[in-house]
Amino acid sequence: MIKNYLLITLRNFARNKVFILINLLGMGTAIGCCIVAYLNWQFAASFDSTHINGHVVYRVQATHEIPDGSSRYAVVPTALGAVVRDNVVHVNTVVRYTAGTGDFRIGDEVFNTSLAYADAPFFDLFTFRILDGNLAAFKNKSQVFISETLAKKYFNDVYVAGRQITQLFDGELREYTVGGVFEDQPMNSSFAFEAILLWSNYTEVTNSHSDVEHSWSDMTTLFLRIENEADVSRVESQLQGYLTQQHDARDDFKLTSFYLQPFYTLAASFHGETWLNGEQLRWGIPPSSVIGPAVMAAFLLLLACFNFTNTSLAIAGRRLKEIGIRKAIGGLRSQLIAQFLNESIVLCLLACVAGVLIAMVLTPAYNALWPGIKLSLDVSSDLFFFGFMLALLFITAVIAGAYPALYVTSFRPTTILKGKLRLAGTNWFTRILLTLQFAIALLCLVAAGAFVRNATFQRDYDLGYLKEGVIVVPIAGKNQYEQFRNLLGANKDIVVMAGSSSHVSDRYEKGTIKNGTEEHQVDIVEAGDQYIQAMGIDMVSGRDFHPEDFSNEMSSVLVSEELVKQFGWQDDPLGKTLNWHDTVRLSVIGVVKNIHTDGYWKPVTPVMIRHVASGHYRQLVARTTVEKVVVVNEAMREVWKTVSPNTVYGGKFTDGNISTAKMINDNTVSIFGFLGVVALILSTTGLYALLSINISRRTKEIGIRKVMGAPAGTITRLIHAEFFVILLIASVLGGSLGFFASEKLMNIIWEYYAPAGVETVLIASLVMFGMAIVSVGYKTMATARLNPVQALRDE
């Protein structure tokens, strides 16, 4: 019997090649998207799963509350690590960790790579597979552990324990021996360093002027191992007793509390209330980036199933005699249902195979969109994947094939064989399916259009400083700054140069300032001469710093409009006095336009720009034109080789935040655009199928109207009227959902964005109507021109 079912299935497929191919490709694409969404979920769900002790590891974090609100910090005072290790009995292991970058030299090769410092128990706490060397070597401060990739790139081998490597820091050469080579961490790991040194080395190379080991001002990441979960609350309570030391060290920045967060949950700390300042670990995938693709893939799969249902009903019209004869000769309805479900299962099975093949193309394409994601499709060893595919096969077969099987097999054989039966064409169920299909397609198109619109908005949005045409180069103090600046002076393409200790887009400090009894937290930028001009920051009132009057300028500051607003200065803010660190009195000499230090991501915060001496410069800022920024950057790279041949040129463009926002915009447009096009194609195919059923059912009516003299336009309107109403309802439903969905998604990602406008919904609706008209136009016109004699004879 199964053999007969399969033979009938294959014959039916052969008679309806076009519809079967459309369904196969449509459902295969939807299943491919579901597979990518599953891999994306699996990637996020398994974040840090390689660390076998992760369930007993906690990170100490902090909160800072002021009248303006509260902030959470991923880092805590450096001194807290030693204090906890020596005094808190319930903690089994303490590891301080800090991450950044460092310049190294191997042979004649000088390069910059990600670098971390950690206490000796780091490799006991976290799981790293060692390919060469011995973990015991990490207790020696002269040993460095490097990644597999780093070893292969610069040594051309992974077995390099005992080889030499030189760190270059502020002109100083620090020699290390490779103590071990560790296997590369997966992309869904919190640790992204390529080299790691013992913590005691960090205390020697930090730019801080304090005793870092016992500093309550410097901040670092702190991990604790607590074996007994019941002790976590006890440890957390004991930590509060050390807030006093932190307050004494940072009177301008008093932490409110310390708390412990389980290591396995760190990857979810990405946005909104879970946002962490000072994060030194690799960010995980935000929940919206996991839920979004999964929901859209599910929508697309439903749409493909709906399309299969509609086309199955269209195909079934050609099989009525087969059904009638089989029933007349004793065939049971259950057997016919089994036959139709068998066809559905076979098609869905083929679609699953096609889906895997399509996923093999979509997966690397999805990886290419997001630098921090690396999905891997391994169909040979992942049992969970096989379970997922079986569930997908069952769900699609039931959803897609159940209704046609139950509906078509319910007809009486006498009605079929007498020729009195015609499929009902569109009914409430098929109308709902078609409406949902087009609504989902329009939702995707509106979302894609909304992100295109937002890209233009954010490109033109004023962040308070130049987003393009500025190059920032890290430097090692006054002498290097002056030498570099003097050599660059001959470059006519550089408009202005300045030095600074911090920077408006990524290296500012947070602190608390007071005016009288009122205090606010502000972003503090320490800048040198001409920094305002170099960054294109506009003055609202007052003046810029005067380099010739440096002694007075040390007590002068510029403030942003937001700072003026928060202090409620209704009169002239110039001359107002601010207290910083309680003992430092600063005078406001100028007001600048608002500066969005966090780009589009968070609300604008008050900014204070303080003048610093050239001895504190840590970067050179060069302004050029947008057209010549790449050329100037390369020229600066060449000059750097003369200034500091043993260090890597670290110049970067100021548009880092902007580039990230642009990447998110472009990728979202690609994803929603792809889904929208696929959904639209499937929807128009379903429309074509239902149109075919309707025309078949109304052949006699159309013939009579033609005989009575009805013109082709009337016949066309007759056929299109019902579907026009469906498209209209889908436009309202899909347009509304697309508008609010894109608004919700953008609100999750950014603080400043442009929601989908009415024109976005209208354009997407016109595209949908255009596709629908084109897809059914030929069929409709052919029917309108049909010879009425043939139509009536057919009846």
Side-chain angles (χ1 to χ4, degrees):
M1 180 177 291
I2 295 177
K3 179 181 178 181
N4 291 334
Y5 282 161
L6 290 175
L7 285 174
I8 295 172
T9 297
L10 294 176
R11 288 169 184 166
N12 180 54
F13 285 0
R15 286 196 300 267
N16 301 280
K17 298 182 186 69
V18 176
F19 281 126
I20 295 302
L21 183 61
I22 290 173
N23 277 321
L24 183 61
L25 291 177
M27 195 167 289
T29 302
I31 290 174
C33 292
C34 287
I35 291 174
V36 174
Y38 166 79
L39 296 176
N40 189 55
W41 167 83
Q42 189 182 56
F43 180 88
S46 59
F47 215 94
D48 285 325
S49 62
T50 56
H51 301 290
I52 59 177
N53 294 321
H55 63 288
V56 293
V57 176
Y58 299 83
R59 184 168 70 177
V60 184
Q61 297 172 178
T63 58
H64 178 225
E65 296 182 4
I66 56 174
D68 298 333
S70 62
S71 301
R72 303 195 328 154
Y73 286 81
V75 289
V76 294
T78 304
L80 187 62
V83 170
V84 171
R85 183 183 58 214
D86 297 337
N87 297 283
V88 182
V89 295
H90 300 295
V91 175
N92 305 92
T93 307
V94 175
V95 171
R96 290 163 297 183
Y97 172 91
T98 191
T101 61
D103 291 340
F104 288 91
R105 184 176 66 197
I106 297 176
D108 295 329
E109 189 80 29
V110 178
F111 60 94
N112 181 270
T113 191
S114 52
L115 172 66
Y117 297 88
D119 283 314
F122 177 82
F123 286 113
D124 298 328
L125 204 60
F126 301 105
T127 306
F128 284 73
R129 180 168 174 259
I130 301 300
L131 302 177
D132 188 36
N134 192 322
L135 285 176
F138 194 63
K139 295 179 174 62
N140 188 334
K141 66 178 294 185
S142 66
Q143 305 284 316
V144 60
F145 277 62
I146 63 175
S147 70
E148 173 187 3
T149 295
L150 203 62
K152 288 180 178 177
K153 184 175 182 180
Y154 295 105
F155 288 111
N156 201 31
D157 193 3
V158 295
Y159 302 103
V160 296
R163 301 282 291 272
Q164 294 300 116
I165 183 172
T166 304
Q167 183 185 16
L168 313 172
F169 181 80
D170 276 1
E172 178 186 354
L173 304 182
R174 302 175 62 86
E175 299 292 338
Y176 295 100
T177 301
V178 177
V181 178
F182 56 85
E183 187 177 61
D184 292 339
Q185 285 281 290
M187 292 292 287
N188 57 346
S189 169
S190 289
F191 301 107
F193 57 82
E194 295 289 339
I196 185 168
L197 290 163
L198 196 63
W199 175 263
S200 56
N201 289 288
Y202 174 67
T203 64
E204 297 175 7
V205 301
T206 179
N207 287 322
S208 173
H209 298 290
S210 62
D211 177 8
V212 177
E213 184 75 11
H214 304 97
S215 172
W216 289 92
S217 298
D218 296 280
M219 309 283 274
T220 190
T221 300
L222 179 62
F223 295 110
L224 307 180
R225 178 170 179 165
I226 306 174
E227 294 287 350
N228 189 350
E229 189 176 353
D231 292 333
V232 173
S233 58
R234 298 188 183 98
V235 172
E236 201 167 61
S237 178
Q238 286 180 273
L239 291 176
Q240 312 313 313
Y242 302 109
L243 288 170
T244 304
Q245 289 95 316
Q246 192 275 331
H247 293 173
D248 292 340
R250 288 291 304 272
D251 191 66
D252 66 314
F253 183 71
K254 296 181 179 180
L255 296 175
T256 309
S257 65
F258 296 120
Y259 68 98
L260 300 177
Q261 182 169 353
F263 178 70
Y264 278 149
T265 67
L266 295 181
S269 300
F270 183 82
H271 195 80
E273 294 182 356
T274 63
W275 176 275
L276 290 165
N277 295 289
E279 183 61 85
Q280 295 184 326
L281 303 181
R282 178 187 278 140
W283 281 353
I285 303 178
S288 59
S289 296
V290 177
I291 297 171
V295 170
M296 294 310 301
F299 274 148
L300 197 61
L301 185 63
L302 276 176
L303 195 149
C305 290
F306 294 165
N307 198 60
F308 179 85
T309 299
N310 286 335
T311 52
S312 294
L313 289 173
I315 293 171
R318 306 174 185 178
R319 303 178 64 183
L320 291 179
K321 287 186 179 180
E322 172 196 339
I323 295 169
I325 292 172
R326 289 181 65 174
K327 277 196 169 188
I329 62 175
L332 300 176
R333 185 188 180 195
S334 59
Q335 294 174 321
L336 291 172
I337 291 174
Q339 172 65 53
F340 277 89
L341 287 177
N342 176 72
E343 294 176 8
S344 175
I345 291 172
V346 171
L347 182 61
C348 291
L349 182 60
L350 293 174
C352 285
V353 175
V356 172
L357 297 176
I358 292 172
M360 290 180 177
V361 177
L362 294 179
T363 300
Y366 189 80
N367 288 338
L369 292 176
W370 310 105
I373 295 178
K374 186 177 181 181
L375 308 184
S376 177
L377 178 58
D378 184 4
V379 298
S380 60
S381 60
D382 190 346
L383 294 178
F384 289 104
F385 178 76
F386 278 104
F388 170 74
M389 292 302 295
L390 285 174
L392 208 58
L393 173 62
F394 175 78
I395 291 171
T396 53
V398 170
I399 294 177
Y403 179 76
L406 294 173
Y407 177 67
V408 175
T409 60
S410 65
F411 302 137
R412 295 171 62 87
T414 53
T415 307
I416 296 173
L417 296 176
K418 287 181 179 180
K420 296 181 178 180
L421 177 67
R422 290 288 183 271
L423 288 182
T426 52
N427 55 33
W428 66 269
F429 184 73
T430 55
R431 291 188 187 103
I432 290 175
L433 293 188
L434 189 61
T435 303
L436 290 177
Q437 283 183 283
F438 277 106
I440 293 172
L442 188 59
L443 185 154
C444 295
L445 292 177
V446 170
F451 276 86
V452 170
R453 186 172 186 264
N454 181 62
T456 303
F457 168 81
Q458 291 186 340
R459 182 195 65 200
D460 299 333
Y461 190 80
D462 184 10
L463 293 178
Y465 58 87
L466 288 176
K467 296 181 286 187
E468 297 178 294
V470 176
I471 303 168
V472 182
V473 185
I475 50 95
K478 177 181 179 180
N479 293 335
Q480 192 176 78
Y481 168 79
E482 291 180 349
Q483 183 184 3
F484 194 32
R485 179 190 175 101
N486 291 337
L487 291 174
L488 291 174
N491 193 322
K492 303 300 182 182
D493 292 329
I494 299 178
V495 178
V496 61
M497 286 182 285
S500 72
S501 175
S502 48
H503 190 48
V504 292
S505 67
D506 57 5
R507 292 190 61 183
Y508 51 86
E509 176 188 356
K510 288 188 178 292
T512 303
I513 58 174
K514 297 179 181 179
N515 176 248
T517 58
E518 188 175 357
E519 66 178 52
H520 292 283
Q521 180 175 292
V522 300
D523 295 336
I524 302 171
V525 178
E526 296 185 313
D529 301 336
Q530 294 188 293
Y531 182 81
I532 299 299
Q533 292 84 355
M535 289 305 302
I537 299 172
D538 293 331
M539 297 290 301
V540 176
S541 63
R543 64 173 178 84
D544 192 3
F545 300 114
H546 289 161
E548 64 276 4
D549 190 16
F550 178 76
S551 58
N552 288 330
E553 299 298 71
M554 286 295 293
S555 60
S556 302
V557 292
L558 306 177
V559 298
S560 67
E561 293 174 301
E562 182 65 20
L563 189 147
V564 173
K565 176 183 175 183
Q566 290 200 11
F567 274 109
W569 292 335
Q570 302 297 328
D571 52 347
D572 188 0
L574 302 181
K576 296 288 186 182
T577 300
L578 296 171
N579 290 332
W580 182 41
H581 290 288
D582 273 353
T583 58
V584 180
R585 292 173 62 83
L586 303 169
S587 177
V588 177
I589 63 169
V591 178
V592 299
K593 291 183 66 175
N594 279 334
I595 299 173
H596 295 254
T597 50
D598 285 311
Y600 313 113
W601 314 100
K602 298 169 72 175
V604 64
T605 54
V607 175
M608 180 177 77
I609 302 176
R610 182 169 177 257
H611 194 257
V612 293
S614 57
H616 294 280
Y617 288 174
R618 288 298 168 188
Q619 54 199 2
L620 179 144
V621 181
R623 176 179 172 182
T624 182
T625 61
V626 176
E627 295 77 16
K628 294 184 177 180
V629 67
V630 175
V631 174
V632 169
N633 187 55
E634 290 305 312
M636 293 174 68
R637 188 189 305 276
E638 291 302 314
V639 173
W640 182 261
K641 293 177 182 178
T642 302
V643 175
S644 185
N646 291 324
T647 58
V648 178
Y649 174 72
K652 63 179 182 178
F653 302 138
T654 307
D655 62 352
N657 278 333
I658 306 356
S659 297
T660 303
K662 185 177 184 300
M663 179 192 70
I664 292 175
N665 259 312
D666 293 345
N667 292 352
T668 308
V669 170
S670 299
I671 291 171
F672 278 106
F674 170 77
L675 294 174
V677 169
V678 173
L680 201 54
I681 292 173
L682 291 175
S683 301
T684 51
T685 306
L687 176 61
Y688 184 85
L690 284 183
L691 186 69
S692 300
I693 297 175
N694 258 18
I695 291 174
S696 175
R697 179 174 62 88
R698 306 178 71 173
T699 302
K700 185 176 180 179
E701 176 191 348
I702 293 170
I704 293 173
R705 287 179 179 270
K706 291 281 287 183
V707 170
M708 298 298 293
T714 302
I715 302 297
T716 301
R717 286 194 298 274
L718 176 69
I719 297 171
H720 273 176
E722 180 179 12
F723 297 108
F724 178 81
V725 174
I726 289 175
L727 290 174
L728 198 59
I729 295 173
S731 296
V732 175
L733 181 61
S736 301
L737 288 175
F739 182 92
F740 290 110
S742 58
E743 159 73 19
K744 182 69 174 177
L745 183 57
M746 289 182 187
N747 188 54
I748 292 174
I749 301 173
W750 295 298
E751 180 69 26
Y752 302 99
Y753 60 89
V758 176
E759 68 277 11
T760 304
V761 178
L762 289 176
I763 292 172
S765 299
L766 289 175
V767 171
M768 183 186 73
F769 271 91
M771 281 286 291
I773 291 171
V774 170
S775 67
V776 300
Y778 172 77
K779 182 75 174 179
T780 303
M781 293 305 297
T783 303
R785 295 171 181 172
L786 187 66
N787 189 328
V789 175
Q790 294 178 349
L792 295 174
R793 182 185 299 138
D794 180 66
E795 286 294 310

